[in-house]
């Protein structure tokens, strides 16, 4: 096959490209320039788009002897990932920018471009298995990225090659060393690539300005503190709440109401939810509803047994179960700290079934 | 494989390779006083004389440098610093200069109190002497306009422009990097005060060049140290590189008339065939005042990046014009200055021929170009 390898400058995408070359594919590499000011982004271990990463990616391509180009997708990345990230926090939700980047940039803009240029598929270094269009968890559960890939449609998955799903991160590093790839021992990237210092709250404060508001206790209804911006909080968060606790019991963020900027807090038990409602789903492996399966409600989160039913959006015409409708997930046992904006990803064992954005989470009992 | 990117770097002439290898086999610092030093010094000074003879300069007017970028920086910043006074801080530069001039000027503006007037070009990329005349004034420290443009190949009326500058008593620098070997270049006859050349554009080594600088022209140094080059440029003489530069300059200027004739014929054939194969293609630049090896097109509806990738995959090596260090393509400031919109500017490719080009290179291009254009049109525009 003619494959387009996305090289981030990290070890995973390097080994993925190497394996694709060794499997006999005709591989061309691209590095995505995602920052409008590359020098302003952190370099090395924490970033994904610094000048150093671009150089590392080029080095890998040259060692593998494959063509290498830089594609400037900074404007697209800003619009679809960074602006979306800020807007979601401003709306009181907790977005996952990696998921959005996969959905809108890596497996949309890049894939569309690759197919138009005559490539058969893109190859990436994500840790997930993809066999005959079936997406499932990596054998390395610590590194599994199926959660942020679940947003891909069957047609996107059909044009994707993930060579690393069957091997662990340690093996990836060993394969890189064996091939003389300089990135073999490069530190993993983590956190959010476009937030240079890892200070998400500071980044949002710069983007959104100070938006002070009250912190309200769910039990008493009393204002127990104030904050500089509701966007600094995520459902389930405990740290950073500067509030009076007369009873000495820890309080957690239960909900964020963006218009009145009200952050509601409560005790840990109040975080329990048993019902999750979502926006429109993307099915990677379509199933009929209702459906009994498991669901993961945040990146690196645990899985919960659940029953999925179709949820007809209020106002939709009677009897309509159009694809625009979301899911209602009834959890067998309550889950804690479910944040609107995160994805609900359905699994059958290790196999990914589909993904949808969480709109609300509640305790019905 | 077809190499159509001679304007980026052209293969070294065998005689230049031999001259470099020869000099590399001999030890010696040309500034040393013993026999080995004297031997090296003889090579350096013979190289200086050869470069001077090839380009119509006196040996004392040849300052060796580390290449085109250093020569441009030395000329622009050095002339500015030497002539700057509270009432003389303005730099006149064409809007289509190479980044080595462009960015040096912008640095002077940002850090050294300079102001700049960008000389506009016409649709063919030419700076008209009247435009320069209109921009002149008592506050001008220097004028810099390239001899020939690296992207679209347009040749500037350098002699007429230098005359305008001199009427106002202002020194004139020209970046002649693309011109040597393709056009007749005579430093003295051109009347310019400072001229940038670099070896790897005419069959010499990479990383070595010269600033030809009139004997009376004052320039403040960038690099301080041993003062090897008229106290304007310091650094141990790179004897082998200078020997290679001299060999290439001698041969390239000797062969220039015949090379230019052959290149122009080959280039005209390329242009005719590209326009026949891709009727929507737009031939950019000046059809008359042009480097003989340059052909530059816009392919509406395509991105130059896509075409480059598709041609590269088929063994045809071309350029979108100017790449920046990160490899991220920006719309060319040259095409934008010539009045093209950003989208058209992004749709451009440069084919550049050189001393080793053959009709087979043009055949190879035409074999794959129509298919590449057709495919590139399907790529979503960013």
């Amino acid at each position: 096959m003619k494959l387009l390898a996305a090289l981030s400058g990290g070890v995973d995408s390097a080994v993925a490209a190497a394996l694709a070359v060794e499997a006999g594919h005709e591989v061309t590499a691209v590095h995505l320039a995602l920052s409008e000011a590359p020098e302003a982004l952190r370099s090395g271990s924490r970033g994904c788009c610094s000048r150093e990463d671009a150089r590392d990616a080029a080095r890998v391509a040259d060692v593998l002897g494959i063509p290498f180009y830089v594609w400037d997708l900074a404007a697209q990345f800003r619009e679809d990932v960074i602006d979306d990230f800020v807007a979601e926090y401003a709306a009181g939700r907790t977005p996952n920018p990696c998921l959005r980047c996969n959905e809108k940039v890596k497996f949309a803009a890049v894939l569309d471009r690759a197919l138009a240029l005559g490539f058969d598929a893109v190859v990436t270094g994500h840790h997930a298995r993809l066999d005959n269009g079936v997406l499932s968890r990596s054998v390395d559960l610590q590194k599994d990225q199926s959660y942020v890939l679940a947003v891909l449609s069957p047609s996107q998955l059909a044009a994707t090659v993930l060579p690393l799903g069957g091997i662990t991160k340690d093996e990836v590093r060993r394969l890189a060393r064996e091939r003389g790839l300089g990135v073999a021992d490069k530190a993993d990237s983590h956190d959010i690539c476009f937030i240079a210092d890892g200070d998400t709250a500071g980044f949002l404060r710069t983007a959104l300005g100070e938006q002070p508001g009250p912190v309200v206790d769910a039990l008493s209804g009393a204002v127990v503190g104030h904050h500089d911006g509701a966007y600094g909080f995520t459902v389930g968060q405990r740290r950073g709440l500067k509030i009076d606790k007369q009873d000495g019991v820890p309080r957690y963020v239960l909900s964020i109401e963006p218009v009145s900027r009200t952050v509601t807090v409560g005790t840990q038990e109040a975080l329990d939810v048993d019902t999750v409602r979502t926006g429109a789903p993307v099915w990677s492996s379509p199933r009929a509803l209702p459906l009994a399966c498991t669901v993961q409600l945040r990146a690196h989160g645990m899985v919960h047994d659940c029953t999925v039913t179709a949820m007809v959006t209020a106002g939709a015409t009677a009897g309509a179960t159009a694809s625009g409708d979301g899911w209602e997930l009834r959890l067998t046992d309550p889950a804690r700290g479910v944040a609107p904006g995160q994805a609900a990803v359905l699994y059958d064992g290790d196999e990914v079934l589909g993904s949808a954005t969480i709109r609300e989470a509640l305790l019905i009992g | 494989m077809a190499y159509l990117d001679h304007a980026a770097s052209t293969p070294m002439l065998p005689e230049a390779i031999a001259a470099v290898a020869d000099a590399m086999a001999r030890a010696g610092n040309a500034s040393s006083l013993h026999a080995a030093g004297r031997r090296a010094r003889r090579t350096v000074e013979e190289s200086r004389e050869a470069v001077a003879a090839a380009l119509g300069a006196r040996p004392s007017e040849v300052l060796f440098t580390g290449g085109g970028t250093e020569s441009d920086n030395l000329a622009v910043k050095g002339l500015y610093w030497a002539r700057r006074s509270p009432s003389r801080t303005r730099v006149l530069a064409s809007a289509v200069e190479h980044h080595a001039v462009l960015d040096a000027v912008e640095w002077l503006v940002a850090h050294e109190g300079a102001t700049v007037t960008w000389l506009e070009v016409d649709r063919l990329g030419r700076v008209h002497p009247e435009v320069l005349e209109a921009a002149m004034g008592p506050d001008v420290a220097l004028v810099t306009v390239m001899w020939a443009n690296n992207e679209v190949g347009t040749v500037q009326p350098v002699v007429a422009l230098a005359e305008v500058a001199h009427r106002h008593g202002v020194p004139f620098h020209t970046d002649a990097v693309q011109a040597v070997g393709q056009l007749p270049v005579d430093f003295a006859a051109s009347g310019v005060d400072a001229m940038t050349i670099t070896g790897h554009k005419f069959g010499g080594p990479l990383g070595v060049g010269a600033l030809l600088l009139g004997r009376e022209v004052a320039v403040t140094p960038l690099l301080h140290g041993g003062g090897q080059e008229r106290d304007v440029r310091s650094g141990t003489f790179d004897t082998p590189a200078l020997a290679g530069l001299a060999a290439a300059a001698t041969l390239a200027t000797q062969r220039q008339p015949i090379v230019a004739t052959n290149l122009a014929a080959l280039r005209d054939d390329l242009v005719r065939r590209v326009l026949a194969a891709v009727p929507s293609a737009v031939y950019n630049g000046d059809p008359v005042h042009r480097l003989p090896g340059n052909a530059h097109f816009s392919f509406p509806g395509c991105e130059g990046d896509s075409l480059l990738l598709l041609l590269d995959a088929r063994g045809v090596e071309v350029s979108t014009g100017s790449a920046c260090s990160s490899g991220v393509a920006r719309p060319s400031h040259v095409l934008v200055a010539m009045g093209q919109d950003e989208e058209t500017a992004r749709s451009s490719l440069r084919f550049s021929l050189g001393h080793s080009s053959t009709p087979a290179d043009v055949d190879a291009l035409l074999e794959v170009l129509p298919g590449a254009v057709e495919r590139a049109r399907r790529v979503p525009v960013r």
Side-chain angles (χ1 to χ4, degrees):
Chain A
M1 283 199 290
K2 283 181 69 175
L3 298 181
L4 186 83
L7 288 186
S8 67
V11 63
D12 293 321
S13 57
V15 171
L19 294 177
V21 170
E22 288 162 23
H25 298 300
E26 184 185 334
V27 182
T28 295
V30 293
H31 175 73
L32 307 180
L34 300 178
S35 168
E36 280 158 336
E39 59 274 73
L41 275 199
R42 58 192 172 195
S43 61
S45 63
R46 306 194 76 186
C48 67
C49 19
S50 68
R51 283 173 190 275
E52 187 179 337
D53 293 319
R55 181 186 176 275
D56 287 343
R59 281 285 295 133
V60 167
D62 292 346
V63 169
L64 297 179
I66 58 177
F68 174 83
Y69 307 98
V70 176
W71 283 2
D72 179 7
L73 291 164
Q76 186 124 28
F77 186 77
R78 162 155 293 284
E79 197 171 306
D80 286 331
V81 180
I82 302 178
D83 289 353
D84 174 80
F85 178 83
V86 173
E88 284 290 290
Y89 267 108
R93 295 187 286 265
T94 306
N96 183 319
C98 301
L99 185 158
R100 204 58 64 213
C101 179
N102 286 333
E103 180 192 18
K104 301 280 193 181
V105 180
K106 287 184 185 156
F107 299 93
V110 174
L111 179 56
D112 289 349
R113 210 174 159 72
L115 296 178
L117 284 167
F119 293 95
D120 300 305
V122 296
V123 52
T124 74
H126 285 103
H127 284 268
R129 273 179 290 163
L130 180 58
D131 303 306
N132 300 317
V134 176
L135 181 68
S136 49
R137 290 193 194 273
S138 166
V139 295
D140 188 338
L141 291 178
Q142 292 297 311
K143 292 290 170 188
D144 173 48
Q145 292 174 298
S146 61
Y147 177 84
V148 290
L149 294 170
V151 70
L152 304 186
S153 69
S155 65
Q156 289 170 308
L157 291 172
T160 298
V161 175
L162 305 178
L164 302 189
I167 55 178
T168 64
K169 182 76 182 216
D170 288 345
E171 288 173 293
V172 169
R173 292 197 182 281
R174 181 175 56 77
L175 294 175
R177 274 192 293 274
E178 286 172 8
R179 283 155 182 76
L181 300 175
V183 293
D185 296 308
K186 193 170 169 178
D188 287 0
S189 62
H190 51 84
D191 296 338
I192 298 167
C193 70
F194 55 85
I195 299 180
D197 50 7
D199 178 10
T200 303
F203 175 84
L204 291 167
R205 198 178 311 122
T206 304
L208 296 168
E210 288 207 352
Q211 298 185 358
V215 179
V216 173
D217 194 280
L219 285 179
S220 63
V223 173
V224 290
H226 294 276
H227 62 77
D228 295 334
Y231 47 75
F233 299 96
T234 294
V235 171
Q237 180 174 338
R238 178 183 168 190
R239 280 179 297 173
L241 285 168
K242 296 178 213 99
I243 54 173
D244 308 325
K245 286 174 301 192
Q246 297 91 334
D247 54 11
V249 179
R251 294 294 199 273
Y252 298 80
V253 174
L254 299 184
S255 65
I256 299 154
E257 207 293 298
V259 176
S260 64
R261 302 171 181 171
T262 303
V263 173
T264 303
V265 300
T267 56
Q268 195 171 18
E269 299 72 45
L271 282 171
D272 284 352
V273 300
D274 59 7
T275 302
V276 174
R277 291 177 182 150
T278 76
V282 176
W283 287 100
S284 40
S285 181
R287 298 290 164 96
L289 299 182
L291 170 70
C293 61
T294 59
V295 63
Q296 183 177 328
L297 297 166
R298 63 163 170 265
H300 313 296
M302 50 191 293
V303 294
H304 308 269
D305 289 324
C306 70
T307 304
V308 187
T309 54
M311 182 186 66
V312 179
T313 318
T317 49
T321 51
S323 60
D325 297 338
W327 293 326
E328 180 164 288
L329 309 171
R330 291 301 298 256
L331 308 179
T332 308
D333 297 309
R336 246 169 213 174
V338 178
Q342 296 278 295
V345 174
L346 305 185
Y347 289 86
D348 177 1
D350 283 343
E351 183 186 344
V352 174
L353 304 182
S355 172
T357 303
I358 297 169
R359 289 289 162 232
E360 57 177 341
L362 51 167
L363 186 68
I364 290 176
Chain B
M1 296 292 278
Y3 185 73
L4 294 161
D5 202 13
H6 288 263
S9 196
T10 200
M12 273 182 78
L13 296 166
E15 294 86 347
I17 295 173
V20 173
D22 236 36
M24 274 187 159
R26 294 191 301 269
N29 182 329
S31 299
S32 299
L33 300 179
H34 44 60
R38 291 194 296 273
R39 205 163 48 230
R41 188 167 72 222
R42 180 173 171 186
T43 303
V44 168
E45 293 311 319
E46 284 175 356
S47 299
R48 195 186 306 282
E49 287 159 13
V51 170
L55 297 170
R58 297 185 183 92
S60 59
E61 292 173 324
V62 177
L63 304 186
F64 291 123
T65 69
T69 294
E70 187 194 330
S71 293
D72 281 344
N73 272 265
L74 176 58
V76 171
K77 295 174 185 169
L79 286 170
Y80 175 79
W81 282 326
R83 287 181 38 84
R84 168 174 59 182
S85 74
S87 59
R88 195 159 64 205
T89 56
R90 196 152 59 98
V91 178
L92 303 187
S94 91
V96 296
E97 292 300 303
H98 187 275
H99 275 288
V101 167
L102 219 58
D103 292 16
V105 171
E106 285 181 343
W107 183 86
L108 289 175
V109 171
H111 300 283
E112 294 293 308
T115 58
V116 58
T117 301
W118 298 111
L119 302 170
E120 57 178 61
V121 298
D122 64 18
R123 286 179 45 257
L124 305 179
R126 300 252 294 178
V127 177
H128 292 271
E130 310 84 78
V131 170
L132 176 59
E133 180 65 56
M136 291 301 311
D139 60 336
V140 175
L142 72 129
V143 178
T144 176
V145 179
M146 68 205 319
W147 194 296
N149 185 265
N150 50 305
E151 292 185 38
V152 297
T154 298
V155 178
Q156 301 294 351
V158 165
V159 173
L161 294 169
E163 277 174 16
V164 173
H166 290 164
R167 270 207 301 281
H168 293 266
V170 175
F172 185 94
H173 165 251
T174 188
D175 176 342
V177 157
Q178 294 289 337
V180 178
Q182 299 233 345
L183 302 170
V185 173
D186 187 306
F187 178 69
S190 72
V192 306
D193 301 284
M195 177 192 289
T196 293
I197 68 162
T198 192
H200 73 113
K201 307 289 190 186
F202 54 79
L206 293 148
V208 61
L211 182 67
L212 308 191
L213 186 67
R215 286 187 297 185
E216 309 302 320
V217 183
V219 163
T220 303
L222 290 177
L223 305 181
H224 300 90
Q228 283 85 344
E229 296 285 347
R230 264 170 61 179
D231 274 339
V232 172
R233 202 267 190 182
S234 294
T236 302
F237 291 107
D238 186 348
T239 311
L242 300 182
L245 180 76
T250 302
L251 288 172
T253 51
Q254 267 170 17
R255 295 172 182 169
Q256 184 273 328
I258 181 79
V259 165
T261 307
N262 293 341
L263 285 186
L266 197 56
R267 188 269 321 273
D268 291 346
D269 183 50
L270 182 154
V271 171
R272 187 181 52 73
R273 289 168 69 185
V274 167
L275 291 173
V278 186
S280 62
V282 178
Y283 187 43
N284 297 312
D286 193 314
V288 180
H289 305 104
R290 187 180 195 109
L291 291 170
N294 175 287
H296 188 283
F297 295 91
S298 297
F299 295 95
C302 301
E303 281 188 0
D305 288 355
S306 300
L307 287 170
L308 189 153
L309 181 154
L310 292 163
L311 295 177
D312 189 14
R314 303 291 302 274
V316 175
E317 300 177 322
V318 304
S319 164
T320 51
S322 60
C324 92
S325 56
S326 65
V328 174
R330 300 272 173 237
S332 152
H333 66 280
V334 174
L335 296 172
V336 171
M338 287 162 63
Q340 289 197 3
D341 58 70
E342 280 206 5
E343 196 182 319
T344 313
R346 279 182 189 276
S347 76
S348 303
L349 279 190
R350 177 186 71 186
F351 310 118
S352 55
L353 307 173
H355 64 86
S356 59
S357 296
T358 66
D361 295 330
V362 179
D363 293 344
L365 169 67
L366 267 300
E367 198 171 302
V368 299
L369 182 68
V373 168
E374 198 193 322
R375 173 149 303 277
R377 283 207 186 106
R378 292 187 232 150
V379 176
V381 174
R382 278 170 286 178

